[in-house]
Every structure is written in C-alpha cells, then in structure tokens.
mmCIF file of all heavy atoms in Angstrom:
data_model
loop_
_atom_site.group_PDB
_atom_site.id
_atom_site.type_symbol
_atom_site.label_atom_id
_atom_site.label_comp_id
_atom_site.label_asym_id
_atom_site.label_seq_id
_atom_site.Cartn_x
_atom_site.Cartn_y
_atom_site.Cartn_z
ATOM 1 N N MET O 1 103.347 108.503 107.012
ATOM 2 C CA MET O 1 102.711 108.522 105.719
ATOM 3 C C MET O 1 101.826 109.757 105.665
ATOM 4 O O MET O 1 101.022 109.990 106.548
ATOM 5 C CB MET O 1 101.892 107.247 105.557
ATOM 6 C CG MET O 1 101.070 107.205 104.324
ATOM 7 S SD MET O 1 100.023 105.732 104.227
ATOM 8 C CE MET O 1 101.061 104.647 103.329
ATOM 9 N N SER O 2 102.019 110.533 104.655
ATOM 10 C CA SER O 2 101.171 111.716 104.533
ATOM 11 C C SER O 2 99.740 111.285 104.215
ATOM 12 O O SER O 2 99.502 110.241 103.622
ATOM 13 C CB SER O 2 101.697 112.638 103.437
ATOM 14 O OG SER O 2 101.448 112.095 102.164
ATOM 15 N N ALA O 3 98.814 112.099 104.620
ATOM 16 C CA ALA O 3 97.401 111.772 104.421
ATOM 17 C C ALA O 3 97.071 111.621 102.935
ATOM 18 O O ALA O 3 96.294 110.745 102.551
ATOM 19 C CB ALA O 3 96.531 112.838 105.060
ATOM 20 N N GLY O 4 97.677 112.465 102.106
ATOM 21 C CA GLY O 4 97.422 112.395 100.665
ATOM 22 C C GLY O 4 97.914 111.108 100.051
ATOM 23 O O GLY O 4 97.224 110.478 99.241
ATOM 24 N N GLU O 5 99.108 110.706 100.416
ATOM 25 C CA GLU O 5 99.674 109.466 99.882
ATOM 26 C C GLU O 5 98.903 108.257 100.396
ATOM 27 O O GLU O 5 98.687 107.289 99.663
ATOM 28 C CB GLU O 5 101.156 109.345 100.241
ATOM 29 C CG GLU O 5 102.043 110.336 99.517
ATOM 30 C CD GLU O 5 101.982 110.165 98.004
ATOM 31 O OE1 GLU O 5 102.062 109.027 97.503
ATOM 32 O OE2 GLU O 5 101.853 111.179 97.311
ATOM 33 N N LYS O 6 98.491 108.315 101.656
ATOM 34 C CA LYS O 6 97.709 107.216 102.214
ATOM 35 C C LYS O 6 96.383 107.085 101.481
ATOM 36 O O LYS O 6 95.947 105.980 101.158
ATOM 37 C CB LYS O 6 97.468 107.457 103.698
ATOM 38 C CG LYS O 6 96.789 106.323 104.396
ATOM 39 C CD LYS O 6 96.693 106.576 105.892
ATOM 40 C CE LYS O 6 96.076 105.388 106.590
ATOM 41 N NZ LYS O 6 95.988 105.566 108.025
ATOM 42 N N ALA O 7 95.753 108.206 101.186
ATOM 43 C CA ALA O 7 94.485 108.196 100.462
ATOM 44 C C ALA O 7 94.662 107.656 99.045
ATOM 45 O O ALA O 7 93.830 106.881 98.559
ATOM 46 C CB ALA O 7 93.888 109.591 100.420
ATOM 47 N N LYS O 8 95.744 108.045 98.373
ATOM 48 C CA LYS O 8 96.018 107.541 97.016
ATOM 49 C C LYS O 8 96.196 106.028 97.030
ATOM 50 O O LYS O 8 95.676 105.321 96.169
ATOM 51 C CB LYS O 8 97.293 108.167 96.454
ATOM 52 C CG LYS O 8 97.138 109.537 95.882
ATOM 53 C CD LYS O 8 98.480 109.953 95.284
ATOM 54 C CE LYS O 8 98.509 111.388 94.865
ATOM 55 N NZ LYS O 8 99.833 111.768 94.356
ATOM 56 N N ALA O 9 96.971 105.557 98.012
ATOM 57 C CA ALA O 9 97.236 104.118 98.105
ATOM 58 C C ALA O 9 95.947 103.346 98.328
ATOM 59 O O ALA O 9 95.683 102.327 97.675
ATOM 60 C CB ALA O 9 98.233 103.840 99.234
ATOM 61 N N LYS O 10 95.126 103.824 99.242
ATOM 62 C CA LYS O 10 93.871 103.133 99.542
ATOM 63 C C LYS O 10 92.915 103.206 98.354
ATOM 64 O O LYS O 10 92.243 102.228 98.031
ATOM 65 C CB LYS O 10 93.237 103.740 100.790
ATOM 66 C CG LYS O 10 92.139 102.917 101.380
ATOM 67 C CD LYS O 10 92.507 101.469 101.638
ATOM 68 C CE LYS O 10 93.305 101.231 102.877
ATOM 69 N NZ LYS O 10 93.515 99.814 103.171
ATOM 70 N N ALA O 11 92.870 104.348 97.684
ATOM 71 C CA ALA O 11 91.996 104.503 96.521
ATOM 72 C C ALA O 11 92.398 103.545 95.403
ATOM 73 O O ALA O 11 91.537 102.923 94.768
ATOM 74 C CB ALA O 11 92.027 105.940 96.026
ATOM 75 N N GLU O 12 93.698 103.420 95.160
ATOM 76 C CA GLU O 12 94.170 102.488 94.132
ATOM 77 C C GLU O 12 93.761 101.066 94.474
ATOM 78 O O GLU O 12 93.360 100.302 93.599
ATOM 79 C CB GLU O 12 95.689 102.568 93.971
ATOM 80 C CG GLU O 12 96.153 103.759 93.191
ATOM 81 C CD GLU O 12 97.659 103.786 93.003
ATOM 82 O OE1 GLU O 12 98.391 103.092 93.735
ATOM 83 O OE2 GLU O 12 98.102 104.520 92.103
ATOM 84 N N GLN O 13 93.872 100.716 95.739
ATOM 85 C CA GLN O 13 93.498 99.364 96.157
ATOM 86 C C GLN O 13 92.010 99.110 95.949
ATOM 87 O O GLN O 13 91.616 98.075 95.408
ATOM 88 C CB GLN O 13 93.848 99.150 97.625
ATOM 89 C CG GLN O 13 95.332 99.082 97.889
ATOM 90 C CD GLN O 13 95.635 98.981 99.361
ATOM 91 O OE1 GLN O 13 94.954 98.287 100.086
ATOM 92 N NE2 GLN O 13 96.660 99.687 99.810
ATOM 93 N N VAL O 14 91.185 100.055 96.367
ATOM 94 C CA VAL O 14 89.733 99.891 96.269
ATOM 95 C C VAL O 14 89.281 99.855 94.814
ATOM 96 O O VAL O 14 88.508 98.977 94.410
ATOM 97 C CB VAL O 14 89.010 101.013 97.051
ATOM 98 C CG1 VAL O 14 87.528 101.016 96.771
ATOM 99 C CG2 VAL O 14 89.278 100.866 98.541
ATOM 100 N N VAL O 15 89.764 100.793 94.011
ATOM 101 C CA VAL O 15 89.376 100.845 92.604
ATOM 102 C C VAL O 15 89.884 99.600 91.876
ATOM 103 O O VAL O 15 89.149 98.989 91.087
ATOM 104 C CB VAL O 15 89.908 102.131 91.927
ATOM 105 C CG1 VAL O 15 89.721 102.081 90.421
ATOM 106 C CG2 VAL O 15 89.219 103.347 92.511
ATOM 107 N N GLY O 16 91.112 99.218 92.142
ATOM 108 C CA GLY O 16 91.676 98.024 91.500
ATOM 109 C C GLY O 16 90.879 96.775 91.817
ATOM 110 O O GLY O 16 90.597 95.955 90.934
ATOM 111 N N LYS O 17 90.500 96.642 93.070
ATOM 112 C CA LYS O 17 89.725 95.469 93.479
ATOM 113 C C LYS O 17 88.355 95.458 92.799
ATOM 114 O O LYS O 17 87.899 94.419 92.326
ATOM 115 C CB LYS O 17 89.556 95.453 94.990
ATOM 116 C CG LYS O 17 88.922 94.202 95.526
ATOM 117 C CD LYS O 17 88.954 94.188 97.045
ATOM 118 C CE LYS O 17 88.523 92.852 97.593
ATOM 119 N NZ LYS O 17 88.660 92.800 99.050
ATOM 120 N N ALA O 18 87.710 96.626 92.738
ATOM 121 C CA ALA O 18 86.394 96.720 92.098
ATOM 122 C C ALA O 18 86.486 96.392 90.610
ATOM 123 O O ALA O 18 85.655 95.640 90.075
ATOM 124 C CB ALA O 18 85.815 98.109 92.305
ATOM 125 N N VAL O 19 87.488 96.945 89.946
ATOM 126 C CA VAL O 19 87.674 96.687 88.514
ATOM 127 C C VAL O 19 87.949 95.207 88.281
ATOM 128 O O VAL O 19 87.364 94.583 87.385
ATOM 129 C CB VAL O 19 88.818 97.550 87.944
ATOM 130 C CG1 VAL O 19 89.217 97.096 86.553
ATOM 131 C CG2 VAL O 19 88.420 99.012 87.932
ATOM 132 N N ARG O 20 88.823 94.649 89.096
ATOM 133 C CA ARG O 20 89.182 93.235 88.955
ATOM 134 C C ARG O 20 87.959 92.338 89.101
ATOM 135 O O ARG O 20 87.702 91.470 88.266
ATOM 136 C CB ARG O 20 90.234 92.861 89.996
ATOM 137 C CG ARG O 20 90.651 91.408 89.962
ATOM 138 C CD ARG O 20 91.754 91.100 90.966
ATOM 139 N NE ARG O 20 91.447 91.494 92.323
ATOM 140 C CZ ARG O 20 90.764 90.732 93.193
ATOM 141 N NH1 ARG O 20 90.315 89.556 92.832
ATOM 142 N NH2 ARG O 20 90.550 91.165 94.424
ATOM 143 N N LYS O 21 87.168 92.564 90.139
ATOM 144 C CA LYS O 21 86.004 91.710 90.383
ATOM 145 C C LYS O 21 84.932 91.876 89.301
ATOM 146 O O LYS O 21 84.363 90.889 88.835
ATOM 147 C CB LYS O 21 85.419 92.003 91.760
ATOM 148 C CG LYS O 21 86.279 91.467 92.872
ATOM 149 C CD LYS O 21 85.615 91.641 94.217
ATOM 150 C CE LYS O 21 86.456 90.971 95.269
ATOM 151 N NZ LYS O 21 85.741 89.948 95.982
ATOM 152 N N ALA O 22 84.669 93.116 88.901
ATOM 153 C CA ALA O 22 83.653 93.360 87.877
ATOM 154 C C ALA O 22 84.079 92.768 86.537
ATOM 155 O O ALA O 22 83.283 92.117 85.850
ATOM 156 C CB ALA O 22 83.394 94.851 87.733
ATOM 157 N N ALA O 23 85.326 92.991 86.170
ATOM 158 C CA ALA O 23 85.811 92.475 84.885
ATOM 159 C C ALA O 23 85.839 90.955 84.875
ATOM 160 O O ALA O 23 85.491 90.322 83.870
ATOM 161 C CB ALA O 23 87.203 93.036 84.597
ATOM 162 N N HIS O 24 86.237 90.376 85.999
ATOM 163 C CA HIS O 24 86.269 88.914 86.079
ATOM 164 C C HIS O 24 84.861 88.340 85.930
ATOM 165 O O HIS O 24 84.665 87.332 85.251
ATOM 166 C CB HIS O 24 86.902 88.473 87.396
ATOM 167 C CG HIS O 24 87.100 87.000 87.493
ATOM 168 N ND1 HIS O 24 88.026 86.331 86.727
ATOM 169 C CD2 HIS O 24 86.477 86.056 88.246
ATOM 170 C CE1 HIS O 24 87.967 85.046 87.020
ATOM 171 N NE2 HIS O 24 87.034 84.847 87.936
ATOM 172 N N ALA O 25 83.888 88.991 86.552
ATOM 173 C CA ALA O 25 82.503 88.526 86.461
ATOM 174 C C ALA O 25 81.976 88.600 85.031
ATOM 175 O O ALA O 25 81.126 87.795 84.640
ATOM 176 C CB ALA O 25 81.612 89.353 87.386
ATOM 177 N N MET O 26 82.474 89.550 84.240
ATOM 178 C CA MET O 26 82.025 89.698 82.859
ATOM 179 C C MET O 26 82.901 88.913 81.883
ATOM 180 O O MET O 26 82.679 88.956 80.679
ATOM 181 C CB MET O 26 82.048 91.180 82.465
ATOM 182 C CG MET O 26 81.027 92.005 83.203
ATOM 183 S SD MET O 26 80.913 93.714 82.628
ATOM 184 C CE MET O 26 82.525 94.341 83.034
ATOM 185 N N GLY O 27 83.921 88.233 82.403
ATOM 186 C CA GLY O 27 84.787 87.440 81.545
ATOM 187 C C GLY O 27 85.835 88.254 80.804
ATOM 188 O O GLY O 27 86.392 87.789 79.815
ATOM 189 N N LYS O 28 86.114 89.439 81.256
ATOM 190 C CA LYS O 28 87.119 90.315 80.632
ATOM 191 C C LYS O 28 88.439 90.128 81.382
ATOM 192 O O LYS O 28 88.794 90.915 82.263
ATOM 193 C CB LYS O 28 86.681 91.778 80.705
ATOM 194 C CG LYS O 28 85.315 92.054 80.179
ATOM 195 C CD LYS O 28 85.339 92.136 78.683
ATOM 196 C CE LYS O 28 83.960 92.540 78.182
ATOM 197 N NZ LYS O 28 83.959 92.793 76.790
ATOM 198 N N GLU O 29 89.172 89.103 81.039
ATOM 199 C CA GLU O 29 90.372 88.753 81.798
ATOM 200 C C GLU O 29 91.491 89.792 81.684
ATOM 201 O O GLU O 29 92.234 90.009 82.633
ATOM 202 C CB GLU O 29 90.875 87.373 81.383
ATOM 203 C CG GLU O 29 89.902 86.258 81.745
ATOM 204 C CD GLU O 29 89.516 86.225 83.218
ATOM 205 O OE1 GLU O 29 90.386 86.393 84.084
ATOM 206 O OE2 GLU O 29 88.312 86.045 83.494
ATOM 207 N N THR O 30 91.617 90.446 80.537
ATOM 208 C CA THR O 30 92.650 91.463 80.375
ATOM 209 C C THR O 30 92.384 92.639 81.311
ATOM 210 O O THR O 30 93.287 93.123 81.992
ATOM 211 C CB THR O 30 92.720 91.955 78.923
ATOM 212 O OG1 THR O 30 92.970 90.840 78.066
ATOM 213 C CG2 THR O 30 93.813 92.983 78.745
ATOM 214 N N THR O 31 91.144 93.071 81.364
ATOM 215 C CA THR O 31 90.779 94.168 82.245
ATOM 216 C C THR O 31 90.897 93.745 83.702
ATOM 217 O O THR O 31 91.307 94.531 84.553
ATOM 218 C CB THR O 31 89.346 94.649 81.942
ATOM 219 O OG1 THR O 31 89.272 94.979 80.562
ATOM 220 C CG2 THR O 31 88.980 95.864 82.764
ATOM 221 N N ALA O 32 90.562 92.502 83.994
ATOM 222 C CA ALA O 32 90.712 91.988 85.361
ATOM 223 C C ALA O 32 92.174 92.022 85.785
ATOM 224 O O ALA O 32 92.493 92.370 86.923
ATOM 225 C CB ALA O 32 90.162 90.573 85.460
ATOM 226 N N ALA O 33 93.067 91.698 84.875
ATOM 227 C CA ALA O 33 94.495 91.742 85.182
ATOM 228 C C ALA O 33 94.959 93.175 85.435
ATOM 229 O O ALA O 33 95.784 93.425 86.314
ATOM 230 C CB ALA O 33 95.293 91.123 84.044
ATOM 231 N N LYS O 34 94.425 94.119 84.676
ATOM 232 C CA LYS O 34 94.769 95.525 84.892
ATOM 233 C C LYS O 34 94.269 95.994 86.253
ATOM 234 O O LYS O 34 94.953 96.743 86.951
ATOM 235 C CB LYS O 34 94.197 96.404 83.785
ATOM 236 C CG LYS O 34 94.891 96.207 82.459
ATOM 237 C CD LYS O 34 94.258 97.050 81.370
ATOM 238 C CE LYS O 34 94.910 96.780 80.022
ATOM 239 N NZ LYS O 34 94.303 97.563 78.954
ATOM 240 N N GLY O 35 93.095 95.552 86.660
ATOM 241 C CA GLY O 35 92.568 95.887 87.978
ATOM 242 C C GLY O 35 93.423 95.299 89.080
ATOM 243 O O GLY O 35 93.703 95.955 90.091
ATOM 244 N N ALA O 36 93.857 94.060 88.887
ATOM 245 C CA ALA O 36 94.724 93.422 89.872
ATOM 246 C C ALA O 36 96.056 94.156 89.978
ATOM 247 O O ALA O 36 96.606 94.321 91.073
ATOM 248 C CB ALA O 36 94.952 91.964 89.496
ATOM 249 N N ALA O 37 96.566 94.628 88.855
ATOM 250 C CA ALA O 37 97.819 95.381 88.859
ATOM 251 C C ALA O 37 97.661 96.699 89.611
ATOM 252 O O ALA O 37 98.540 97.102 90.378
ATOM 253 C CB ALA O 37 98.291 95.640 87.437
ATOM 254 N N LEU O 38 96.540 97.359 89.418
ATOM 255 C CA LEU O 38 96.275 98.611 90.121
ATOM 256 C C LEU O 38 96.164 98.372 91.624
ATOM 257 O O LEU O 38 96.706 99.134 92.433
ATOM 258 C CB LEU O 38 94.994 99.248 89.587
ATOM 259 C CG LEU O 38 94.614 100.613 90.157
ATOM 260 C CD1 LEU O 38 95.709 101.636 89.857
ATOM 261 C CD2 LEU O 38 93.289 101.069 89.571
ATOM 262 N N GLU O 39 95.498 97.301 91.999
ATOM 263 C CA GLU O 39 95.360 96.950 93.406
ATOM 264 C C GLU O 39 96.732 96.674 94.027
ATOM 265 O O GLU O 39 97.043 97.153 95.118
ATOM 266 C CB GLU O 39 94.462 95.724 93.531
ATOM 267 C CG GLU O 39 94.144 95.329 94.940
ATOM 268 C CD GLU O 39 93.205 94.123 95.008
ATOM 269 O OE1 GLU O 39 92.842 93.560 93.955
ATOM 270 O OE2 GLU O 39 92.848 93.759 96.122
ATOM 271 N N THR O 40 97.564 95.940 93.315
ATOM 272 C CA THR O 40 98.902 95.622 93.794
ATOM 273 C C THR O 40 99.754 96.878 93.908
ATOM 274 O O THR O 40 100.518 97.042 94.865
ATOM 275 C CB THR O 40 99.580 94.605 92.856
ATOM 276 O OG1 THR O 40 98.761 93.437 92.807
ATOM 277 C CG2 THR O 40 100.967 94.246 93.334
ATOM 278 N N ARG O 41 99.619 97.798 92.948
ATOM 279 C CA ARG O 41 100.375 99.044 93.006
ATOM 280 C C ARG O 41 99.978 99.851 94.244
ATOM 281 O O ARG O 41 100.831 100.445 94.909
ATOM 282 C CB ARG O 41 100.152 99.862 91.737
ATOM 283 C CG ARG O 41 101.009 101.118 91.691
ATOM 284 C CD ARG O 41 100.954 101.800 90.358
ATOM 285 N NE ARG O 41 99.611 102.290 90.091
ATOM 286 C CZ ARG O 41 99.209 102.772 88.927
ATOM 287 N NH1 ARG O 41 100.046 102.813 87.916
ATOM 288 N NH2 ARG O 41 97.986 103.195 88.759
ATOM 289 N N GLY O 42 98.699 99.853 94.579
ATOM 290 C CA GLY O 42 98.234 100.543 95.780
ATOM 291 C C GLY O 42 98.819 99.935 97.041
ATOM 292 O O GLY O 42 99.231 100.649 97.966
ATOM 293 N N LYS O 43 98.878 98.614 97.081
ATOM 294 C CA LYS O 43 99.466 97.934 98.240
ATOM 295 C C LYS O 43 100.957 98.239 98.343
ATOM 296 O O LYS O 43 101.486 98.445 99.442
ATOM 297 C CB LYS O 43 99.241 96.430 98.142
ATOM 298 C CG LYS O 43 97.816 96.036 98.385
ATOM 299 C CD LYS O 43 97.609 94.544 98.224
ATOM 300 C CE LYS O 43 96.156 94.171 98.401
ATOM 301 N NZ LYS O 43 95.920 92.742 98.189
ATOM 302 N N ALA O 44 101.638 98.276 97.213
ATOM 303 C CA ALA O 44 103.069 98.585 97.212
ATOM 304 C C ALA O 44 103.319 100.020 97.667
ATOM 305 O O ALA O 44 104.242 100.287 98.438
ATOM 306 C CB ALA O 44 103.659 98.366 95.823
ATOM 307 N N ARG O 45 102.485 100.950 97.211
ATOM 308 C CA ARG O 45 102.615 102.350 97.621
ATOM 309 C C ARG O 45 102.425 102.470 99.135
ATOM 310 O O ARG O 45 103.172 103.156 99.814
ATOM 311 C CB ARG O 45 101.595 103.215 96.895
ATOM 312 C CG ARG O 45 101.681 104.685 97.261
ATOM 313 C CD ARG O 45 100.508 105.484 96.715
ATOM 314 N NE ARG O 45 100.338 105.402 95.287
ATOM 315 C CZ ARG O 45 100.728 106.354 94.429
ATOM 316 N NH1 ARG O 45 101.291 107.444 94.866
ATOM 317 N NH2 ARG O 45 100.529 106.212 93.153
ATOM 318 N N GLU O 46 101.436 101.762 99.656
ATOM 319 C CA GLU O 46 101.168 101.808 101.088
ATOM 320 C C GLU O 46 102.349 101.236 101.878
ATOM 321 O O GLU O 46 102.779 101.814 102.876
ATOM 322 C CB GLU O 46 99.897 101.024 101.406
ATOM 323 C CG GLU O 46 99.487 101.092 102.856
ATOM 324 C CD GLU O 46 98.173 100.396 103.100
ATOM 325 O OE1 GLU O 46 97.885 99.362 102.460
ATOM 326 O OE2 GLU O 46 97.426 100.900 103.945
ATOM 327 N N THR O 47 102.909 100.141 101.413
ATOM 328 C CA THR O 47 104.060 99.531 102.065
ATOM 329 C C THR O 47 105.259 100.465 102.042
ATOM 330 O O THR O 47 105.956 100.631 103.046
ATOM 331 C CB THR O 47 104.416 98.198 101.379
ATOM 332 O OG1 THR O 47 103.279 97.337 101.464
ATOM 333 C CG2 THR O 47 105.604 97.543 102.040
ATOM 334 N N LYS O 48 105.492 101.104 100.907
ATOM 335 C CA LYS O 48 106.617 102.027 100.775
ATOM 336 C C LYS O 48 106.477 103.189 101.753
ATOM 337 O O LYS O 48 107.428 103.542 102.456
ATOM 338 C CB LYS O 48 106.699 102.564 99.348
ATOM 339 C CG LYS O 48 107.830 103.551 99.118
ATOM 340 C CD LYS O 48 107.776 104.124 97.726
ATOM 341 C CE LYS O 48 106.881 105.343 97.756
ATOM 342 N NZ LYS O 48 106.921 106.159 96.560
ATOM 343 N N GLU O 49 105.308 103.772 101.801
ATOM 344 C CA GLU O 49 105.091 104.917 102.683
ATOM 345 C C GLU O 49 105.175 104.514 104.148
ATOM 346 O O GLU O 49 105.699 105.265 104.969
ATOM 347 C CB GLU O 49 103.747 105.581 102.379
ATOM 348 C CG GLU O 49 103.703 106.249 101.021
ATOM 349 C CD GLU O 49 104.712 107.376 100.865
ATOM 350 O OE1 GLU O 49 104.974 108.084 101.839
ATOM 351 O OE2 GLU O 49 105.235 107.541 99.753
ATOM 352 N N THR O 50 104.693 103.339 104.484
ATOM 353 C CA THR O 50 104.770 102.855 105.858
ATOM 354 C C THR O 50 106.224 102.649 106.271
ATOM 355 O O THR O 50 106.615 103.008 107.381
ATOM 356 C CB THR O 50 103.980 101.542 106.009
ATOM 357 O OG1 THR O 50 102.627 101.783 105.637
ATOM 358 C CG2 THR O 50 104.023 101.038 107.438
ATOM 359 N N SER O 51 107.026 102.098 105.361
ATOM 360 C CA SER O 51 108.432 101.880 105.686
ATOM 361 C C SER O 51 109.172 103.207 105.832
ATOM 362 O O SER O 51 110.069 103.334 106.669
ATOM 363 C CB SER O 51 109.107 100.992 104.646
ATOM 364 O OG SER O 51 109.189 101.640 103.406
ATOM 365 N N LYS O 52 108.784 104.213 105.053
ATOM 366 C CA LYS O 52 109.392 105.540 105.203
ATOM 367 C C LYS O 52 109.087 106.103 106.576
ATOM 368 O O LYS O 52 109.960 106.667 107.222
ATOM 369 C CB LYS O 52 108.847 106.507 104.149
ATOM 370 C CG LYS O 52 109.510 106.440 102.813
ATOM 371 C CD LYS O 52 109.132 107.714 102.083
ATOM 372 C CE LYS O 52 108.690 107.542 100.699
ATOM 373 N NZ LYS O 52 108.255 108.760 100.055
ATOM 374 N N ASP O 53 107.841 105.948 107.018
ATOM 375 C CA ASP O 53 107.448 106.444 108.340
ATOM 376 C C ASP O 53 108.233 105.751 109.439
ATOM 377 O O ASP O 53 108.687 106.386 110.384
ATOM 378 C CB ASP O 53 105.952 106.234 108.582
ATOM 379 C CG ASP O 53 105.096 107.246 107.864
ATOM 380 O OD1 ASP O 53 105.647 108.233 107.336
ATOM 381 O OD2 ASP O 53 103.870 107.051 107.827
ATOM 382 N N ARG O 54 108.413 104.464 109.319
ATOM 383 C CA ARG O 54 109.171 103.719 110.334
ATOM 384 C C ARG O 54 110.620 104.173 110.365
ATOM 385 O O ARG O 54 111.219 104.289 111.423
ATOM 386 C CB ARG O 54 109.092 102.228 110.066
ATOM 387 C CG ARG O 54 107.740 101.663 110.370
ATOM 388 C CD ARG O 54 107.724 100.175 110.189
ATOM 389 N NE ARG O 54 106.362 99.694 110.378
ATOM 390 C CZ ARG O 54 105.900 98.581 109.870
ATOM 391 N NH1 ARG O 54 106.685 97.818 109.142
ATOM 392 N NH2 ARG O 54 104.647 98.212 110.077
ATOM 393 N N PHE O 55 111.188 104.427 109.197
ATOM 394 C CA PHE O 55 112.578 104.869 109.124
ATOM 395 C C PHE O 55 112.736 106.261 109.748
ATOM 396 O O PHE O 55 113.701 106.526 110.451
ATOM 397 C CB PHE O 55 113.046 104.899 107.661
ATOM 398 C CG PHE O 55 114.467 105.342 107.493
ATOM 399 C CD1 PHE O 55 115.501 104.509 107.855
ATOM 400 C CD2 PHE O 55 114.761 106.593 106.980
ATOM 401 C CE1 PHE O 55 116.819 104.899 107.710
ATOM 402 C CE2 PHE O 55 116.067 107.011 106.831
ATOM 403 C CZ PHE O 55 117.102 106.163 107.187
ATOM 404 N N ARG O 56 111.782 107.125 109.513
ATOM 405 C CA ARG O 56 111.841 108.481 110.058
ATOM 406 C C ARG O 56 111.728 108.505 111.573
ATOM 407 O O ARG O 56 112.254 109.383 112.232
ATOM 408 C CB ARG O 56 110.736 109.346 109.466
ATOM 409 C CG ARG O 56 110.952 109.684 108.029
ATOM 410 C CD ARG O 56 109.811 110.524 107.488
ATOM 411 N NE ARG O 56 109.923 110.650 106.047
ATOM 412 C CZ ARG O 56 108.905 110.753 105.223
ATOM 413 N NH1 ARG O 56 107.679 110.788 105.687
ATOM 414 N NH2 ARG O 56 109.096 110.844 103.941
ATOM 415 N N ARG O 57 111.014 107.561 112.138
ATOM 416 C CA ARG O 57 110.808 107.539 113.592
ATOM 417 C C ARG O 57 112.062 107.114 114.343
ATOM 418 O O ARG O 57 112.205 107.423 115.505
ATOM 419 C CB ARG O 57 109.672 106.576 113.938
ATOM 420 C CG ARG O 57 108.336 107.110 113.519
ATOM 421 C CD ARG O 57 107.244 106.164 113.905
ATOM 422 N NE ARG O 57 106.010 106.520 113.219
ATOM 423 C CZ ARG O 57 105.017 105.693 113.021
ATOM 424 N NH1 ARG O 57 105.075 104.457 113.465
ATOM 425 N NH2 ARG O 57 103.934 106.111 112.398
ATOM 426 N N HIS O 58 112.934 106.381 113.694
ATOM 427 C CA HIS O 58 114.128 105.876 114.397
ATOM 428 C C HIS O 58 115.301 106.788 114.238
ATOM 429 O O HIS O 58 115.591 107.610 113.619
ATOM 430 C CB HIS O 58 114.492 104.491 113.881
ATOM 431 C CG HIS O 58 113.503 103.466 114.305
ATOM 432 N ND1 HIS O 58 112.505 103.031 113.473
ATOM 433 C CD2 HIS O 58 113.307 102.827 115.483
ATOM 434 C CE1 HIS O 58 111.769 102.143 114.107
ATOM 435 N NE2 HIS O 58 112.233 102.009 115.324
#
C-alpha cells in the first residue's frame, strides 16, 4: 500500500467517524449517515490496497 493511499484511507475513516458521532449527537441523522458512509469507504479503500499488496508479494 502506498503511503499516500494509506493516509487517504485512514483520513477518510477518522473524518467519517468524527462526522458520524458529532452529527448523531446533534440529531442530524442524514449527516450521520454520510459520515458513516465516508468511514466505510475509508475501510474499503484500506482493504483494497492491502489485498493489492498481498497479491504483489506472491
């Protein structure tokens, strides 16, 4: 996983989680869902890049 892609994935996860928690606390469920989606996209990006690295090693 390139350092840039790893940083993007982690940033999406952190920002998504923060948005989700803050919006949920304020009762903004639509925004909370968008934060959860961003967090999930970050996790998916990280999984994709990790699987690419594993494939390249073999």
Side-chain angles (χ1 to χ4, degrees):
M1 174 184 267
S2 73
E5 290 299 314
K6 186 175 183 179
K8 279 184 189 177
K10 194 52 79 174
E12 283 182 342
Q13 290 175 40
V14 170
V15 170
K17 187 173 189 175
V19 168
R20 178 177 54 86
K21 287 186 175 239
H24 186 69
M26 293 186 296
K28 307 280 185 173
E29 295 305 317
T30 302
T31 305
K34 290 177 183 179
L38 184 61
E39 185 178 3
T40 302
R41 185 171 65 189
K43 288 178 183 177
R45 181 190 303 259
E46 184 175 36
T47 301
K48 179 185 88 169
E49 293 298 325
T50 301
S51 67
K52 277 197 227 176
D53 283 349
R54 288 184 185 156
F55 180 73
R56 289 179 190 148
R57 289 182 194 159
H58 290 99

